[in-house]
Amino acid sequence: MRQTWTALGVLAMLALGPAAAHADSYWEVESARANARAGGPISERDAELLERYGCLSGTRSAFCKELGYRDKRAHR
């Protein structure tokens, strides 16, 4: 029985331990991209996701244009 509780404790620690770190889901990234395409306000979380995964081509948001500008300068 003790081994079972230990295994459950380890599972609970794995599930709840890194609570501050957000898992990037497909839907969360697509939501950030949709907000950028709509030209609406981009939250800090959206900005973080767009910096990590990029905007879709053709997105005319000022934030995405700035990301493209920074990327081109970094490769020179």
Side-chain angles (χ1 to χ4, degrees):
M1 185 67 158
R2 182 179 176 118
Q3 186 177 17
T4 303
W5 282 108
T6 304
L8 289 174
V10 170
L11 287 174
M13 291 293 286
L14 290 174
L16 301 175
H22 295 283
D24 302 334
S25 73
Y26 170 79
W27 298 112
E28 190 176 18
V29 173
E30 288 307 309
S31 175
R33 288 176 172 165
N35 288 340
R37 279 193 311 274
I42 297 175
S43 69
E44 287 183 30
R45 180 67 177 152
D46 286 354
E48 178 186 335
L49 291 169
L50 293 172
E51 286 176 350
R52 184 177 303 147
Y53 298 106
C55 299
L56 296 177
S57 63
T59 302
R60 295 183 177 151
S61 115
F63 182 82
C64 290
K65 287 180 182 178
E66 179 65 25
L67 279 178
Y69 177 72
R70 280 190 263 161
D71 289 344
K72 289 177 186 172
R73 292 197 73 190
H75 290 114
R76 287 185 183 179

Short mmCIF file of all heavy atoms in Angstrom, two decimals:
data_model
loop_
_atom_site.label_atom_id
_atom_site.label_comp_id
_atom_site.label_asym_id
_atom_site.label_seq_id
_atom_site.Cartn_x
_atom_site.Cartn_y
_atom_site.Cartn_z
N MET A 1 0.82 -1.19 0.00
CA MET A 1 0.00 0.00 0.00
C MET A 1 0.87 1.25 0.00
O MET A 1 0.55 2.21 -0.66
CB MET A 1 -0.93 -0.03 1.21
CG MET A 1 -1.91 1.09 1.24
SD MET A 1 -3.07 0.90 -0.11
CE MET A 1 -4.41 1.83 0.48
N ARG A 2 1.97 1.21 0.71
CA ARG A 2 2.85 2.38 0.78
C ARG A 2 3.40 2.72 -0.60
O ARG A 2 3.52 3.88 -0.97
CB ARG A 2 3.97 2.13 1.77
CG ARG A 2 4.87 3.31 1.92
CD ARG A 2 5.97 3.03 2.92
NE ARG A 2 6.85 4.17 2.94
CZ ARG A 2 7.07 4.92 3.99
NH1 ARG A 2 6.47 4.64 5.12
NH2 ARG A 2 7.88 5.94 3.93
N GLN A 3 3.73 1.72 -1.37
CA GLN A 3 4.26 1.95 -2.70
C GLN A 3 3.21 2.64 -3.59
O GLN A 3 3.55 3.49 -4.38
CB GLN A 3 4.71 0.63 -3.33
CG GLN A 3 5.40 0.81 -4.66
CD GLN A 3 5.89 -0.50 -5.21
OE1 GLN A 3 5.46 -1.56 -4.78
NE2 GLN A 3 6.80 -0.43 -6.16
N THR A 4 1.97 2.27 -3.43
CA THR A 4 0.90 2.90 -4.20
C THR A 4 0.80 4.38 -3.86
O THR A 4 0.69 5.22 -4.75
CB THR A 4 -0.45 2.21 -3.92
OG1 THR A 4 -0.32 0.82 -4.21
CG2 THR A 4 -1.56 2.81 -4.75
N TRP A 5 0.86 4.72 -2.58
CA TRP A 5 0.78 6.13 -2.19
C TRP A 5 1.98 6.90 -2.70
O TRP A 5 1.86 8.04 -3.13
CB TRP A 5 0.66 6.26 -0.68
CG TRP A 5 -0.72 5.97 -0.20
CD1 TRP A 5 -1.13 4.87 0.47
CD2 TRP A 5 -1.88 6.77 -0.42
NE1 TRP A 5 -2.47 4.92 0.71
CE2 TRP A 5 -2.97 6.09 0.17
CE3 TRP A 5 -2.13 7.97 -1.05
CZ2 TRP A 5 -4.26 6.60 0.16
CZ3 TRP A 5 -3.42 8.48 -1.06
CH2 TRP A 5 -4.46 7.79 -0.47
N THR A 6 3.13 6.29 -2.72
CA THR A 6 4.33 6.94 -3.22
C THR A 6 4.18 7.22 -4.72
O THR A 6 4.49 8.31 -5.19
CB THR A 6 5.58 6.08 -2.96
OG1 THR A 6 5.65 5.82 -1.57
CG2 THR A 6 6.82 6.78 -3.42
N ALA A 7 3.68 6.25 -5.45
CA ALA A 7 3.48 6.43 -6.88
C ALA A 7 2.45 7.52 -7.14
O ALA A 7 2.62 8.36 -8.02
CB ALA A 7 3.03 5.12 -7.52
N LEU A 8 1.38 7.56 -6.35
CA LEU A 8 0.38 8.61 -6.50
C LEU A 8 0.95 9.98 -6.15
O LEU A 8 0.64 10.98 -6.81
CB LEU A 8 -0.85 8.32 -5.64
CG LEU A 8 -1.72 7.15 -6.09
CD1 LEU A 8 -2.81 6.89 -5.07
CD2 LEU A 8 -2.31 7.43 -7.46
N GLY A 9 1.80 10.02 -5.16
CA GLY A 9 2.45 11.28 -4.78
C GLY A 9 3.34 11.80 -5.90
O GLY A 9 3.36 12.99 -6.19
N VAL A 10 4.10 10.91 -6.52
CA VAL A 10 4.96 11.30 -7.63
C VAL A 10 4.12 11.81 -8.80
O VAL A 10 4.44 12.83 -9.41
CB VAL A 10 5.86 10.12 -8.07
CG1 VAL A 10 6.57 10.43 -9.37
CG2 VAL A 10 6.85 9.78 -6.99
N LEU A 11 3.03 11.12 -9.09
CA LEU A 11 2.15 11.57 -10.17
C LEU A 11 1.55 12.94 -9.86
O LEU A 11 1.45 13.80 -10.74
CB LEU A 11 1.04 10.55 -10.42
CG LEU A 11 1.47 9.26 -11.11
CD1 LEU A 11 0.31 8.28 -11.17
CD2 LEU A 11 2.00 9.55 -12.50
N ALA A 12 1.17 13.16 -8.63
CA ALA A 12 0.61 14.45 -8.24
C ALA A 12 1.65 15.55 -8.37
O ALA A 12 1.36 16.65 -8.84
CB ALA A 12 0.07 14.39 -6.81
N MET A 13 2.88 15.27 -7.99
CA MET A 13 3.95 16.26 -8.10
C MET A 13 4.22 16.59 -9.56
O MET A 13 4.46 17.75 -9.91
CB MET A 13 5.23 15.76 -7.42
CG MET A 13 5.13 15.67 -5.93
SD MET A 13 4.97 17.29 -5.17
CE MET A 13 6.63 17.87 -5.37
N LEU A 14 4.19 15.58 -10.41
CA LEU A 14 4.41 15.82 -11.84
C LEU A 14 3.29 16.65 -12.44
O LEU A 14 3.52 17.51 -13.27
CB LEU A 14 4.56 14.49 -12.59
CG LEU A 14 5.83 13.71 -12.32
CD1 LEU A 14 5.77 12.36 -13.02
CD2 LEU A 14 7.05 14.49 -12.77
N ALA A 15 2.07 16.38 -12.00
CA ALA A 15 0.92 17.08 -12.56
C ALA A 15 0.82 18.51 -12.02
O ALA A 15 0.44 19.42 -12.75
CB ALA A 15 -0.35 16.31 -12.24
N LEU A 16 1.13 18.71 -10.77
CA LEU A 16 0.93 20.01 -10.15
C LEU A 16 2.21 20.81 -9.96
O LEU A 16 2.15 22.00 -9.71
CB LEU A 16 0.25 19.83 -8.79
CG LEU A 16 -1.10 19.13 -8.81
CD1 LEU A 16 -1.59 18.92 -7.39
CD2 LEU A 16 -2.10 19.93 -9.61
N GLY A 17 3.35 20.18 -10.08
CA GLY A 17 4.62 20.83 -9.81
C GLY A 17 4.88 22.07 -10.66
O GLY A 17 4.99 23.17 -10.14
N PRO A 18 4.97 21.94 -11.97
CA PRO A 18 5.29 23.11 -12.77
C PRO A 18 4.04 23.91 -13.14
O PRO A 18 3.75 24.17 -14.30
CB PRO A 18 5.94 22.51 -14.01
CG PRO A 18 5.30 21.18 -14.15
CD PRO A 18 5.04 20.71 -12.73
N ALA A 19 3.29 24.32 -12.13
CA ALA A 19 2.04 25.04 -12.40
C ALA A 19 2.29 26.40 -13.03
O ALA A 19 1.46 26.91 -13.76
CB ALA A 19 1.26 25.19 -11.10
N ALA A 20 3.43 27.00 -12.77
CA ALA A 20 3.72 28.31 -13.33
C ALA A 20 4.00 28.23 -14.83
O ALA A 20 3.76 29.17 -15.56
CB ALA A 20 4.90 28.93 -12.62
N ALA A 21 4.52 27.11 -15.27
CA ALA A 21 4.81 26.95 -16.69
C ALA A 21 3.54 26.55 -17.42
O ALA A 21 2.86 25.62 -17.04
CB ALA A 21 5.88 25.89 -16.88
N HIS A 22 3.22 27.30 -18.45
CA HIS A 22 2.02 27.00 -19.23
C HIS A 22 2.38 26.04 -20.36
O HIS A 22 3.40 26.19 -21.01
CB HIS A 22 1.45 28.28 -19.84
CG HIS A 22 0.96 29.25 -18.85
ND1 HIS A 22 -0.23 29.11 -18.20
CD2 HIS A 22 1.51 30.39 -18.37
CE1 HIS A 22 -0.41 30.12 -17.39
NE2 HIS A 22 0.64 30.91 -17.46
N ALA A 23 1.52 25.08 -20.57
CA ALA A 23 1.69 24.21 -21.72
C ALA A 23 1.10 24.94 -22.92
O ALA A 23 0.01 25.49 -22.85
CB ALA A 23 0.97 22.89 -21.50
N ASP A 24 1.86 25.00 -24.00
CA ASP A 24 1.40 25.68 -25.19
C ASP A 24 0.55 24.73 -26.01
O ASP A 24 1.05 23.82 -26.64
CB ASP A 24 2.59 26.15 -26.04
CG ASP A 24 3.51 27.06 -25.26
OD1 ASP A 24 3.04 27.71 -24.31
OD2 ASP A 24 4.69 27.12 -25.59
N SER A 25 -0.75 24.96 -25.98
CA SER A 25 -1.62 24.10 -26.76
C SER A 25 -1.79 24.68 -28.16
O SER A 25 -1.60 25.88 -28.39
CB SER A 25 -2.99 23.97 -26.09
OG SER A 25 -3.72 25.16 -26.23
N TYR A 26 -2.15 23.82 -29.07
CA TYR A 26 -2.40 24.24 -30.45
C TYR A 26 -3.44 25.34 -30.48
O TYR A 26 -3.30 26.34 -31.19
CB TYR A 26 -2.86 23.02 -31.25
CG TYR A 26 -3.39 23.36 -32.62
CD1 TYR A 26 -2.50 23.61 -33.66
CD2 TYR A 26 -4.75 23.44 -32.86
CE1 TYR A 26 -2.97 23.93 -34.92
CE2 TYR A 26 -5.23 23.75 -34.12
CZ TYR A 26 -4.34 24.00 -35.14
OH TYR A 26 -4.80 24.33 -36.38
N TRP A 27 -4.49 25.19 -29.69
CA TRP A 27 -5.59 26.16 -29.70
C TRP A 27 -5.16 27.49 -29.14
O TRP A 27 -5.62 28.54 -29.60
CB TRP A 27 -6.79 25.61 -28.93
CG TRP A 27 -7.31 24.36 -29.57
CD1 TRP A 27 -7.26 23.10 -29.04
CD2 TRP A 27 -7.90 24.23 -30.86
NE1 TRP A 27 -7.79 22.21 -29.93
CE2 TRP A 27 -8.19 22.87 -31.06
CE3 TRP A 27 -8.20 25.12 -31.87
CZ2 TRP A 27 -8.78 22.40 -32.22
CZ3 TRP A 27 -8.78 24.66 -33.03
CH2 TRP A 27 -9.07 23.30 -33.19
N GLU A 28 -4.29 27.47 -28.16
CA GLU A 28 -3.82 28.72 -27.58
C GLU A 28 -2.96 29.50 -28.59
O GLU A 28 -3.10 30.72 -28.72
CB GLU A 28 -3.01 28.41 -26.31
CG GLU A 28 -2.68 29.62 -25.49
CD GLU A 28 -1.97 29.28 -24.20
OE1 GLU A 28 -1.42 28.17 -24.07
OE2 GLU A 28 -1.96 30.15 -23.33
N VAL A 29 -2.12 28.78 -29.33
CA VAL A 29 -1.29 29.42 -30.35
C VAL A 29 -2.17 29.96 -31.46
O VAL A 29 -2.00 31.10 -31.92
CB VAL A 29 -0.24 28.43 -30.90
CG1 VAL A 29 0.52 29.04 -32.07
CG2 VAL A 29 0.73 28.01 -29.81
N GLU A 30 -3.13 29.18 -31.90
CA GLU A 30 -4.02 29.63 -32.97
C GLU A 30 -4.87 30.81 -32.53
O GLU A 30 -5.18 31.69 -33.33
CB GLU A 30 -4.90 28.48 -33.47
CG GLU A 30 -4.13 27.45 -34.27
CD GLU A 30 -3.35 28.07 -35.42
OE1 GLU A 30 -3.93 28.84 -36.22
OE2 GLU A 30 -2.15 27.79 -35.53
N SER A 31 -5.25 30.86 -31.28
CA SER A 31 -6.00 31.99 -30.75
C SER A 31 -5.15 33.26 -30.79
O SER A 31 -5.64 34.33 -31.17
CB SER A 31 -6.46 31.70 -29.32
OG SER A 31 -7.09 32.82 -28.77
N ALA A 32 -3.89 33.15 -30.41
CA ALA A 32 -2.99 34.30 -30.47
C ALA A 32 -2.82 34.77 -31.91
O ALA A 32 -2.82 35.98 -32.19
CB ALA A 32 -1.63 33.93 -29.87
N ARG A 33 -2.70 33.84 -32.84
CA ARG A 33 -2.56 34.21 -34.25
C ARG A 33 -3.84 34.87 -34.77
O ARG A 33 -3.78 35.82 -35.55
CB ARG A 33 -2.23 32.97 -35.08
CG ARG A 33 -0.81 32.49 -34.85
CD ARG A 33 -0.55 31.21 -35.60
NE ARG A 33 0.87 30.85 -35.52
CZ ARG A 33 1.34 29.66 -35.82
NH1 ARG A 33 0.53 28.71 -36.25
NH2 ARG A 33 2.63 29.42 -35.73
N ALA A 34 -5.00 34.37 -34.35
CA ALA A 34 -6.27 34.96 -34.77
C ALA A 34 -6.40 36.38 -34.23
O ALA A 34 -6.86 37.28 -34.94
CB ALA A 34 -7.44 34.10 -34.30
N ASN A 35 -6.00 36.61 -32.99
CA ASN A 35 -6.04 37.95 -32.42
C ASN A 35 -5.14 38.90 -33.22
O ASN A 35 -5.50 40.05 -33.47
CB ASN A 35 -5.60 37.94 -30.96
CG ASN A 35 -6.63 37.33 -30.04
OD1 ASN A 35 -7.80 37.23 -30.39
ND2 ASN A 35 -6.20 36.90 -28.88
N ALA A 36 -3.98 38.42 -33.64
CA ALA A 36 -3.07 39.24 -34.43
C ALA A 36 -3.66 39.53 -35.80
O ALA A 36 -3.58 40.66 -36.30
CB ALA A 36 -1.71 38.55 -34.56
N ARG A 37 -4.27 38.52 -36.43
CA ARG A 37 -4.88 38.72 -37.75
C ARG A 37 -6.02 39.73 -37.68
O ARG A 37 -6.22 40.52 -38.60
CB ARG A 37 -5.42 37.40 -38.32
CG ARG A 37 -4.38 36.53 -38.95
CD ARG A 37 -5.00 35.41 -39.76
NE ARG A 37 -6.04 34.66 -39.07
CZ ARG A 37 -5.83 33.63 -38.28
NH1 ARG A 37 -4.60 33.19 -38.06
NH2 ARG A 37 -6.83 33.00 -37.70
N ALA A 38 -6.77 39.71 -36.58
CA ALA A 38 -7.90 40.63 -36.41
C ALA A 38 -7.44 42.05 -36.08
O ALA A 38 -8.23 42.98 -36.13
CB ALA A 38 -8.82 40.12 -35.31
N GLY A 39 -6.16 42.20 -35.77
CA GLY A 39 -5.64 43.52 -35.45
C GLY A 39 -6.01 43.98 -34.06
O GLY A 39 -5.78 45.12 -33.70
N GLY A 40 -6.59 43.09 -33.28
CA GLY A 40 -7.01 43.43 -31.93
C GLY A 40 -5.84 43.50 -30.97
O GLY A 40 -4.70 43.26 -31.34
N PRO A 41 -6.12 43.83 -29.74
CA PRO A 41 -5.04 43.90 -28.76
C PRO A 41 -4.43 42.53 -28.52
O PRO A 41 -5.13 41.52 -28.52
CB PRO A 41 -5.73 44.42 -27.50
CG PRO A 41 -7.17 44.14 -27.69
CD PRO A 41 -7.42 44.12 -29.17
N ILE A 42 -3.14 42.53 -28.38
CA ILE A 42 -2.41 41.28 -28.15
C ILE A 42 -1.94 41.30 -26.70
O ILE A 42 -1.28 42.23 -26.27
CB ILE A 42 -1.21 41.17 -29.10
CG1 ILE A 42 -1.70 41.10 -30.54
CG2 ILE A 42 -0.37 39.95 -28.77
CD1 ILE A 42 -0.60 41.10 -31.57
N SER A 43 -2.31 40.26 -25.96
CA SER A 43 -1.91 40.17 -24.55
C SER A 43 -0.44 39.79 -24.46
O SER A 43 0.19 39.41 -25.45
CB SER A 43 -2.77 39.13 -23.83
OG SER A 43 -2.46 37.83 -24.31
N GLU A 44 0.09 39.86 -23.25
CA GLU A 44 1.49 39.45 -23.04
C GLU A 44 1.67 37.98 -23.41
O GLU A 44 2.69 37.60 -23.99
CB GLU A 44 1.91 39.68 -21.59
CG GLU A 44 2.10 41.13 -21.24
CD GLU A 44 2.58 41.30 -19.81
OE1 GLU A 44 3.27 40.41 -19.29
OE2 GLU A 44 2.24 42.34 -19.22
N ARG A 45 0.70 37.17 -23.07
CA ARG A 45 0.77 35.74 -23.39
C ARG A 45 0.74 35.52 -24.90
O ARG A 45 1.49 34.72 -25.44
CB ARG A 45 -0.37 34.98 -22.71
CG ARG A 45 -0.39 33.50 -22.98
CD ARG A 45 0.78 32.81 -22.36
NE ARG A 45 0.67 31.38 -22.61
CZ ARG A 45 1.68 30.56 -22.70
NH1 ARG A 45 2.90 31.00 -22.51
NH2 ARG A 45 1.51 29.29 -22.94
N ASP A 46 -0.14 36.26 -25.60
CA ASP A 46 -0.19 36.16 -27.06
C ASP A 46 1.16 36.57 -27.65
O ASP A 46 1.67 35.91 -28.56
CB ASP A 46 -1.29 37.05 -27.64
CG ASP A 46 -2.68 36.50 -27.43
OD1 ASP A 46 -2.81 35.36 -26.94
OD2 ASP A 46 -3.65 37.21 -27.77
N ALA A 47 1.73 37.65 -27.14
CA ALA A 47 3.02 38.11 -27.64
C ALA A 47 4.10 37.04 -27.45
O ALA A 47 4.91 36.78 -28.35
CB ALA A 47 3.43 39.40 -26.94
N GLU A 48 4.09 36.40 -26.28
CA GLU A 48 5.06 35.34 -26.01
C GLU A 48 4.90 34.18 -26.99
O GLU A 48 5.89 33.67 -27.53
CB GLU A 48 4.87 34.85 -24.57
CG GLU A 48 5.77 33.71 -24.17
CD GLU A 48 5.42 33.17 -22.79
OE1 GLU A 48 4.85 33.92 -21.96
OE2 GLU A 48 5.72 31.99 -22.55
N LEU A 49 3.67 33.79 -27.24
CA LEU A 49 3.41 32.68 -28.16
C LEU A 49 3.79 33.05 -29.59
O LEU A 49 4.37 32.23 -30.32
CB LEU A 49 1.95 32.25 -28.09
CG LEU A 49 1.52 31.58 -26.79
CD1 LEU A 49 0.01 31.46 -26.73
CD2 LEU A 49 2.17 30.23 -26.64
N LEU A 50 3.48 34.28 -30.01
CA LEU A 50 3.82 34.70 -31.36
C LEU A 50 5.33 34.81 -31.55
O LEU A 50 5.85 34.49 -32.62
CB LEU A 50 3.13 36.02 -31.69
CG LEU A 50 1.61 35.95 -31.78
CD1 LEU A 50 1.03 37.35 -31.92
CD2 LEU A 50 1.18 35.06 -32.93
N GLU A 51 6.04 35.23 -30.51
CA GLU A 51 7.51 35.27 -30.61
C GLU A 51 8.07 33.87 -30.73
O GLU A 51 9.03 33.64 -31.45
CB GLU A 51 8.10 35.98 -29.40
CG GLU A 51 7.91 37.47 -29.44
CD GLU A 51 8.40 38.17 -28.19
OE1 GLU A 51 8.73 37.48 -27.18
OE2 GLU A 51 8.44 39.41 -28.19
N ARG A 52 7.48 32.92 -30.01
CA ARG A 52 7.98 31.55 -30.02
C ARG A 52 7.62 30.81 -31.30
O ARG A 52 8.46 30.13 -31.89
CB ARG A 52 7.43 30.79 -28.81
CG ARG A 52 8.01 29.38 -28.70
CD ARG A 52 7.52 28.65 -27.47
NE ARG A 52 7.85 29.42 -26.29
CZ ARG A 52 7.09 29.46 -25.19
NH1 ARG A 52 5.98 28.77 -25.13
NH2 ARG A 52 7.45 30.17 -24.15
N TYR A 53 6.36 30.93 -31.75
CA TYR A 53 5.88 30.12 -32.87
C TYR A 53 5.68 30.91 -34.16
O TYR A 53 5.48 30.33 -35.21
CB TYR A 53 4.57 29.42 -32.49
CG TYR A 53 4.76 28.47 -31.34
CD1 TYR A 53 4.28 28.78 -30.08
CD2 TYR A 53 5.44 27.28 -31.50
CE1 TYR A 53 4.46 27.91 -29.01
CE2 TYR A 53 5.62 26.40 -30.45
CZ TYR A 53 5.13 26.73 -29.20
OH TYR A 53 5.32 25.88 -28.15
N GLY A 54 5.70 32.23 -34.07
CA GLY A 54 5.57 33.06 -35.25
C GLY A 54 4.13 33.32 -35.65
O GLY A 54 3.20 32.63 -35.25
N CYS A 55 3.99 34.35 -36.45
CA CYS A 55 2.69 34.72 -37.01
C CYS A 55 2.52 33.99 -38.34
O CYS A 55 3.49 33.52 -38.93
CB CYS A 55 2.65 36.22 -37.28
SG CYS A 55 2.85 37.23 -35.80
N LEU A 56 1.30 33.94 -38.80
CA LEU A 56 1.05 33.37 -40.11
C LEU A 56 1.42 34.40 -41.17
O LEU A 56 1.31 35.60 -40.95
CB LEU A 56 -0.42 32.98 -40.26
CG LEU A 56 -0.90 31.88 -39.31
CD1 LEU A 56 -2.38 31.65 -39.51
CD2 LEU A 56 -0.13 30.60 -39.54
N SER A 57 1.87 33.93 -42.32
CA SER A 57 2.22 34.87 -43.38
C SER A 57 0.99 35.65 -43.79
O SER A 57 -0.13 35.14 -43.80
CB SER A 57 2.80 34.12 -44.58
OG SER A 57 1.84 33.26 -45.13
N GLY A 58 1.19 36.91 -44.11
CA GLY A 58 0.08 37.76 -44.51
C GLY A 58 -0.61 38.46 -43.36
O GLY A 58 -1.50 39.27 -43.57
N THR A 59 -0.21 38.18 -42.12
CA THR A 59 -0.81 38.86 -40.97
C THR A 59 -0.28 40.29 -40.96
O THR A 59 0.92 40.51 -40.99
CB THR A 59 -0.45 38.15 -39.65
OG1 THR A 59 -0.91 36.81 -39.72
CG2 THR A 59 -1.10 38.84 -38.46
N ARG A 60 -1.19 41.26 -40.91
CA ARG A 60 -0.80 42.65 -41.03
C ARG A 60 -0.77 43.38 -39.70
O ARG A 60 -0.83 44.60 -39.67
CB ARG A 60 -1.74 43.36 -41.99
CG ARG A 60 -1.63 42.82 -43.37
CD ARG A 60 -2.49 43.55 -44.34
NE ARG A 60 -2.27 43.01 -45.68
CZ ARG A 60 -3.16 43.00 -46.63
NH1 ARG A 60 -4.34 43.51 -46.40
NH2 ARG A 60 -2.88 42.49 -47.79
N SER A 61 -0.67 42.68 -38.62
CA SER A 61 -0.61 43.34 -37.32
C SER A 61 0.76 43.99 -37.16
O SER A 61 1.77 43.50 -37.65
CB SER A 61 -0.88 42.34 -36.20
OG SER A 61 0.19 42.13 -35.37
N ALA A 62 0.77 45.12 -36.47
CA ALA A 62 2.03 45.84 -36.24
C ALA A 62 3.01 44.97 -35.46
O ALA A 62 4.21 44.98 -35.72
CB ALA A 62 1.76 47.14 -35.49
N PHE A 63 2.51 44.18 -34.52
CA PHE A 63 3.38 43.31 -33.74
C PHE A 63 4.06 42.28 -34.62
O PHE A 63 5.26 42.06 -34.51
CB PHE A 63 2.58 42.62 -32.63
CG PHE A 63 3.42 41.76 -31.75
CD1 PHE A 63 4.14 42.31 -30.71
CD2 PHE A 63 3.51 40.40 -31.96
CE1 PHE A 63 4.95 41.53 -29.89
CE2 PHE A 63 4.31 39.60 -31.15
CZ PHE A 63 5.02 40.17 -30.11
N CYS A 64 3.31 41.67 -35.52
CA CYS A 64 3.88 40.64 -36.40
C CYS A 64 4.86 41.26 -37.39
O CYS A 64 5.88 40.66 -37.72
CB CYS A 64 2.78 39.89 -37.14
SG CYS A 64 1.81 38.83 -36.04
N LYS A 65 4.57 42.47 -37.86
CA LYS A 65 5.51 43.15 -38.75
C LYS A 65 6.81 43.41 -38.02
O LYS A 65 7.89 43.26 -38.58
CB LYS A 65 4.90 44.44 -39.27
CG LYS A 65 3.83 44.21 -40.30
CD LYS A 65 3.27 45.52 -40.79
CE LYS A 65 2.15 45.27 -41.79
NZ LYS A 65 1.55 46.51 -42.27
N GLU A 66 6.72 43.83 -36.77
CA GLU A 66 7.92 44.08 -35.96
C GLU A 66 8.71 42.79 -35.75
O GLU A 66 9.93 42.79 -35.81
CB GLU A 66 7.54 44.69 -34.62
CG GLU A 66 8.71 44.98 -33.71
CD GLU A 66 9.65 46.04 -34.23
OE1 GLU A 66 9.23 46.88 -35.03
OE2 GLU A 66 10.83 46.02 -33.83
N LEU A 67 8.01 41.68 -35.53
CA LEU A 67 8.70 40.39 -35.39
C LEU A 67 9.46 40.05 -36.66
O LEU A 67 10.60 39.59 -36.61
CB LEU A 67 7.70 39.27 -35.09
CG LEU A 67 7.22 39.11 -33.68
CD1 LEU A 67 6.20 37.98 -33.61
CD2 LEU A 67 8.36 38.83 -32.74
N GLY A 68 8.85 40.26 -37.80
CA GLY A 68 9.50 39.98 -39.07
C GLY A 68 10.72 40.84 -39.28
O GLY A 68 11.76 40.39 -39.75
N TYR A 69 10.62 42.10 -38.88
CA TYR A 69 11.74 43.03 -39.01
C TYR A 69 12.90 42.58 -38.13
O TYR A 69 14.03 42.54 -38.55
CB TYR A 69 11.28 44.43 -38.63
CG TYR A 69 12.38 45.46 -38.65
CD1 TYR A 69 12.92 45.91 -39.85
CD2 TYR A 69 12.88 45.99 -37.47
CE1 TYR A 69 13.93 46.85 -39.89
CE2 TYR A 69 13.89 46.93 -37.48
CZ TYR A 69 14.40 47.36 -38.69
OH TYR A 69 15.41 48.28 -38.71
N ARG A 70 12.58 42.20 -36.89
CA ARG A 70 13.64 41.76 -35.97
C ARG A 70 14.29 40.48 -36.48
O ARG A 70 15.48 40.31 -36.38
CB ARG A 70 13.07 41.53 -34.58
CG ARG A 70 12.92 42.81 -33.80
CD ARG A 70 12.58 42.51 -32.38
NE ARG A 70 11.12 42.62 -32.26
CZ ARG A 70 10.43 42.09 -31.29
NH1 ARG A 70 11.00 41.41 -30.36
NH2 ARG A 70 9.14 42.25 -31.24
N ASP A 71 13.49 39.55 -37.04
CA ASP A 71 14.05 38.29 -37.53
C ASP A 71 15.01 38.54 -38.67
O ASP A 71 16.07 37.95 -38.74
CB ASP A 71 12.93 37.35 -38.00
CG ASP A 71 12.12 36.81 -36.84
OD1 ASP A 71 12.59 36.91 -35.69
OD2 ASP A 71 11.02 36.31 -37.08
N LYS A 72 14.67 39.43 -39.61
CA LYS A 72 15.54 39.71 -40.73
C LYS A 72 16.85 40.35 -40.30
O LYS A 72 17.91 40.02 -40.81
CB LYS A 72 14.83 40.63 -41.73
CG LYS A 72 13.71 39.95 -42.47
CD LYS A 72 12.99 40.91 -43.39
CE LYS A 72 11.78 40.25 -44.01
NZ LYS A 72 10.98 41.19 -44.76
N ARG A 73 16.79 41.24 -39.32
CA ARG A 73 18.00 41.89 -38.84
C ARG A 73 18.90 40.91 -38.11
O ARG A 73 20.11 41.01 -38.17
CB ARG A 73 17.66 43.06 -37.93
CG ARG A 73 16.99 44.19 -38.69
CD ARG A 73 17.03 45.44 -37.92
NE ARG A 73 18.39 45.94 -37.96
CZ ARG A 73 18.83 46.92 -37.22
NH1 ARG A 73 18.02 47.51 -36.38
NH2 ARG A 73 20.07 47.33 -37.29
N ALA A 74 18.31 39.93 -37.43
CA ALA A 74 19.10 38.97 -36.66
C ALA A 74 19.89 38.06 -37.58
O ALA A 74 20.96 37.56 -37.22
CB ALA A 74 18.18 38.14 -35.77
N HIS A 75 19.41 37.81 -38.80
CA HIS A 75 20.09 36.91 -39.72
C HIS A 75 21.19 37.57 -40.53
O HIS A 75 21.93 36.92 -41.23
CB HIS A 75 19.06 36.27 -40.68
CG HIS A 75 18.17 35.30 -39.98
ND1 HIS A 75 16.83 35.53 -39.83
CD2 HIS A 75 18.43 34.14 -39.35
CE1 HIS A 75 16.29 34.51 -39.15
NE2 HIS A 75 17.24 33.68 -38.84
N ARG A 76 21.31 38.88 -40.48
CA ARG A 76 22.33 39.57 -41.28
C ARG A 76 23.69 39.43 -40.70
O ARG A 76 24.01 39.20 -39.66
CB ARG A 76 21.99 41.05 -41.40
CG ARG A 76 20.84 41.26 -42.34
CD ARG A 76 20.60 42.71 -42.52
NE ARG A 76 19.44 42.88 -43.38
CZ ARG A 76 18.97 44.03 -43.72
NH1 ARG A 76 19.54 45.13 -43.32
NH2 ARG A 76 17.94 44.11 -44.50
#
